[in-house]
Amino acid sequence: MSEVDIFAAWMPPHVKLMHLVAAKWVTQPLYELARLGVADLLDDGPRSVADLAAACGVLEDPLRRCLRAAASVGVFAEQPDGTFALTPMAGFLRSDVDLGLRDLTLLLNSPPMQDSFAELGSVLETGEPGFPAANGTSFFEHLARDPALGAIYQRAWAPLTRGVAAETARRLDLRDVKRVADLGGGNGTFLLALREQHPHLSCVLMDRPEVLAEVTDSRLELVPGVLPGQIPADVDAYFIKNTLHCFDDRLVRDTLQAVRRAIGDRTDVRLHLIESVGLPGNTYDWGKLLDVELMTNNGGRVHSVEQWEKLLASCGFVLEEASDLVPPQWLLTCAPSR
């Protein structure tokens, strides 16, 4: 199945802009199709809209129109006989697939997140995140109060995390590392995937108590805590994955300094950050788009490599290496300053 180029060569600039301005015409149908699990229903091959509508408990005509909108940008494909099929992109809306994006689609387009973005004008005027104004509490407090959305949040990153962990395990020499900790590590997906390739590792998972309450794997040592506090000691390698970008720079520094204190005078311990990185220039950059999401919801920020170097230096670390991991993730390896 060939992909559709949403910015076809024939499109004049104003039509390309129209596509961006009207992005909700694509994202909202995708949200509903993901919510209904349509991609899973098509896993065994094309099906008619009537069949899909019956399986989903919705009306046939609106479903067809949402599917056609998604197919126009390469997500699903309408067949000559009127049935619909998966495309390579649509395949990532299935449940429990590597790099699956179904839960991320549900998270980013959920009503609380949409309401937060409606406050973007206020963010521009005040510099304060819009999520509290829209929802009455901070982002992570809201997740704690809304278990259903909190579960979606944890699942949203798990498929991406498994691929990141596998590549991290391939990149890093962990043969002499005995004990690792994932700080703010969610449900432990990263550590368990890391341990698959390095079964000798002793793994420490730190996160909020309500998150750890859902973790049952006995191979993980659970440490309840919220960054920057309760940093586990006696650890040979620390990982912080897609977490610091949710914080403002003050909290980032507090967290880095807390890890540095836990390391003490041990020069062989490393801190590994897995983050999106803002790239220079005007090419497409997921990090720059994510940066707006973080600014609006959390007051967080996506940093450039140069910004990370300065932040780390101010907290007693040297950035040893920064490299692409699994797009759009980077791996930043940090050593304690001597």
Side-chain angles (χ1 to χ4, degrees):
M1 190 69 60
S2 62
E3 295 282 7
V4 174
D5 182 359
I6 60 173
F7 282 164
W10 60 265
M11 286 187 181
H14 77 279
V15 175
K16 294 179 181 179
L17 179 60
M18 286 171 62
H19 177 84
L20 297 176
V21 170
K24 68 179 180 181
W25 297 352
V26 174
T27 55
Q28 198 61 30
L30 288 178
Y31 169 79
E32 295 298 337
L33 295 171
R35 183 181 65 82
L36 294 170
V38 170
D40 288 331
L41 295 173
L42 294 174
D43 200 22
D44 292 329
R47 295 175 68 170
S48 70
V49 179
D51 189 17
L52 293 171
C56 294
V58 297
L59 297 176
E60 181 178 346
D61 181 63
L63 180 61
R64 176 182 288 106
R65 293 159 78 172
C66 285
L67 281 165
R68 288 177 59 205
S72 73
V73 293
V75 186
F76 303 106
E78 186 172 9
Q79 308 298 294
D81 61 359
T83 61
F84 279 84
L86 293 177
T87 61
M89 280 198 290
F92 291 107
L93 288 180
R94 291 176 295 164
S95 303
D96 300 323
V97 296
D98 288 342
L99 301 179
L101 297 175
R102 179 173 185 257
D103 285 300
L104 185 62
T105 302
L106 296 178
L107 174 69
L108 295 181
N109 295 282
S110 64
M113 303 287 265
Q114 289 187 332
D115 292 344
S116 178
F117 255 67
E119 298 292 329
L120 185 55
S122 175
V123 175
L124 291 169
E125 294 172 356
T126 67
E128 297 297 322
F131 195 95
N135 296 285
T137 187
S138 70
F139 178 69
F140 286 108
E141 288 174 349
H142 185 93
L143 293 182
R145 297 178 185 182
D146 185 347
L149 187 62
I152 289 174
Y153 177 83
Q154 293 298 331
R155 294 197 307 267
W157 304 110
L160 300 173
T161 296
R162 285 191 290 269
V164 165
E167 182 62 17
T168 300
R170 189 186 71 80
R171 294 276 188 94
L172 297 178
D173 184 356
L174 300 176
R175 288 173 295 181
D176 295 329
V177 173
K178 297 179 180 179
R179 183 173 162 88
V180 299
D182 190 359
L183 309 180
N187 59 15
T189 297
F190 179 84
L191 286 175
L192 292 172
L194 199 67
R195 200 174 183 275
E196 286 181 6
Q197 298 192 43
H198 298 282
H200 70 282
L201 291 176
S202 173
C203 298
V204 181
L205 175 64
M206 194 206 87
D207 212 310
R208 302 187 309 277
E210 65 270 16
V211 175
L212 297 185
E214 303 298 322
V215 179
T216 58
D217 198 300
S218 61
R219 293 171 295 177
L220 300 175
E221 177 186 339
L222 306 182
V223 177
V226 179
L227 294 172
Q230 296 91 25
I231 304 298
D234 300 323
V235 170
D236 303 314
Y238 291 92
F239 291 89
I240 307 179
K241 168 185 51 58
N242 289 325
T243 297
L244 293 183
H245 64 217
C246 295
F247 301 161
D248 60 35
D249 280 358
R250 177 192 58 80
L251 191 51
V252 171
R253 287 193 178 91
D254 288 347
T255 300
L256 292 173
Q257 289 168 354
V259 177
R260 184 65 185 86
R261 288 193 296 271
I263 293 175
D265 59 2
R266 296 174 295 154
T267 59
D268 58 340
V269 177
R270 293 296 180 267
L271 167 63
H272 303 287
L273 305 180
I274 296 173
E275 288 279 351
S276 295
V277 170
L279 302 177
N282 298 316
T283 57
Y284 176 85
D285 181 4
W286 165 270
K288 291 174 183 174
L289 303 180
L290 174 62
D291 186 52
V292 177
E293 176 84 15
L294 297 168
M295 174 181 70
T296 305
N297 288 327
N298 312 88
R301 180 185 300 271
V302 170
H303 296 89
S304 67
V305 172
E306 291 76 15
Q307 289 171 328
W308 274 120
E309 285 181 320
K310 293 179 181 178
L311 270 171
L312 289 162
S314 71
C315 300
F317 287 98
V318 174
L319 181 58
E320 283 189 327
E321 184 178 358
S323 60
D324 283 320
L325 193 59
V326 176
Q329 308 298 321
W330 281 55
L331 176 63
L332 309 176
T333 296
C334 317
S337 302
R338 296 181 184 273

